Amino acid sequence: AVSPDGRLLASAQGRGQSMAPPKITLWDLAPSTTDTRDDDEDLRALRWLGDWKPHERSLASVAFSVDGRRLVSCGLETHARQQLVVWDLKRLLLPVDLGSATKKGARSKPWSLRELGFATVAKQLSDFPVERCKWSAYERDAIVTCGKENVRFWRIKKDHIPGAPAALYEYARDAHFDDLCFEAGGVAGVGTFDNDDDDGPRKESPRVLPEESGGCAHVRHRSLRGKEMDKVVYVAARSGHVLQLSYAQRSLLCVLRLHDGPVVSVAATPGYVLTASTDGVARLWPLDFKDFLMEARHEAPLV
């Protein structure tokens, strides 16, 4: 993951089949002071800032907040329970001089438990598997995750991160969700969405169109208080579907079969949605998803 300002890179090492422990490494992407290329070429020097073990058993995903001040990680703790941890990067990087182009200020060893405790904003255990975690594009303290049979909305409250499920109905059964993204155009921290303390999806009937329809209306809802037009969360499924969820209502809007194989990546821009699949095809879609605008076929599955 790269911070929004392009200054930091967080690389995640999951245990997988190796015996190496899960680890997050922070890198400084400051522009090189020895750049001899043209001014229009951005040459960056990768400088190690430090690393730490965020979870005991495994690490699945990391993401920077929209303002670049915090990092969230998802993985398994000692007893193989799902764990979310939010880190304060300013506190974590206090001993490190980001403005230095040399190795001065860089760490010589991993962060200590005391330093990590000081930099920990919130922790949360969960019984729901997480494959991908991302900060909300619309609210400063909100996180959305997806995994096996679940999509959940989390919100930082003091030192915890309580979560609420999205209402997926029968589409959650035996489903695996590997990626998600937000409809373009959100501004984090505006605070226009409902912040009630309930722990479940909003009570609203889903608007789900059958796959044979060949398209999906770009459905919008108002939040419960009518303050702002709702936004869409796109969720990629291994079944080849992409789900559209109402962000404010935490409920299913639409389900579309877009690929013959698992959808491993989904990204949204103003006016378009890009999907990539293990069927070896990447496609660009309009927001109504009636038909793809272009596609790129590859010789091997996309990852």
Side-chain angles (χ1 to χ4, degrees):
V2 178
S3 61
D5 62 3
R7 289 296 306 274
L8 293 174
L9 168 68
S11 58
Q13 172 183 291
R15 173 166 289 178
Q17 297 180 351
S18 70
M19 296 304 296
K23 180 174 66 174
I24 296 177
T25 304
L26 280 183
W27 307 86
D28 181 13
L29 298 179
S32 173
T33 58
T34 59
D35 188 1
T36 58
R37 300 191 183 188
D38 297 334
D39 292 339
D40 59 345
E41 295 188 33
D42 186 11
L43 181 64
R44 293 180 177 269
L46 194 65
R47 184 167 66 94
W48 180 82
L49 296 176
D51 55 61
W52 74 97
K53 185 179 181 181
H55 309 280
E56 286 296 323
R57 289 207 174 187
S58 68
L59 175 60
S61 181
V62 297
F64 285 96
S65 62
V66 177
D67 60 12
R69 297 179 179 179
R70 291 173 292 183
L71 185 77
V72 61
S73 64
C74 304
L76 298 181
E77 48 91 77
T78 305
H79 302 289
R81 292 177 296 180
Q82 192 68 54
Q83 184 182 50
L84 279 74
V85 184
V86 174
W87 314 89
D88 186 312
L89 291 176
K90 183 177 181 180
R91 293 183 178 183
L92 200 62
L93 295 172
L94 278 178
V96 180
D97 177 17
L98 279 180
S100 174
T102 67
K103 292 187 177 181
K104 181 180 179 181
R107 305 181 62 83
S108 59
K109 59 182 180 180
W111 276 282
S112 67
L113 292 177
R114 182 178 179 182
E115 290 172 316
L116 292 177
F118 176 66
T120 300
V121 176
K123 287 184 178 182
Q124 186 69 42
L125 293 177
S126 171
D127 295 325
F128 301 91
V130 174
E131 293 292 336
R132 184 80 68 198
C133 59
K134 291 190 178 181
W135 289 87
S136 168
Y138 318 122
E139 296 179 283
R140 184 172 288 112
D141 293 328
I143 299 166
V144 183
T145 65
C146 62
K148 182 180 179 181
E149 297 185 337
N150 81 98
V151 177
R152 297 184 70 83
F153 294 75
W154 311 81
R155 188 183 304 279
I156 300 173
K157 293 186 177 179
K158 296 184 178 180
D159 56 349
H160 294 285
I161 320 172
L168 303 180
Y169 307 99
E170 68 272 20
Y171 292 95
R173 191 175 300 116
D174 298 324
H176 291 259
F177 305 109
D178 289 327
D179 196 20
L180 62 90
C181 71
F182 300 93
E183 178 185 0
V187 181
V190 172
T192 53
F193 290 95
D194 193 18
N195 291 327
D196 289 345
D197 292 334
D198 60 354
D199 56 358
R202 311 299 188 197
K203 297 184 182 299
E204 179 172 316
S205 299
R207 299 182 61 180
V208 183
L209 300 183
E211 297 175 28
E212 302 84 51
S213 65
C216 181
H218 193 52
V219 184
R220 290 183 181 271
H221 297 274
R222 287 189 179 274
S223 64
L224 295 183
R225 296 175 184 174
K227 293 182 179 180
E228 181 66 43
M229 296 300 285
D230 193 4
K231 295 291 186 178
V232 176
V233 181
Y234 301 98
V235 183
R238 294 185 188 178
S239 59
H241 294 82
V242 168
L243 281 62
Q244 295 187 33
L245 306 181
S246 160
Y247 181 84
Q249 309 298 332
R250 305 174 192 151
S251 60
L252 188 63
L253 298 176
C254 184
V255 179
L256 285 174
R257 178 68 179 269
L258 301 182
H259 288 271
D260 294 329
V263 182
V264 294
S265 181
V266 59
T269 66
Y272 305 98
V273 175
L274 178 66
T275 58
S277 169
T278 58
D279 61 10
V281 180
R283 288 178 174 145
L284 183 69
W285 304 85
L287 295 182
D288 59 12
F289 288 92
K290 289 184 178 180
D291 195 5
F292 58 85
L293 300 175
M294 61 180 66
E295 70 174 10
R297 294 189 172 270
H298 298 72
E299 297 179 355
L302 300 178
V303 295

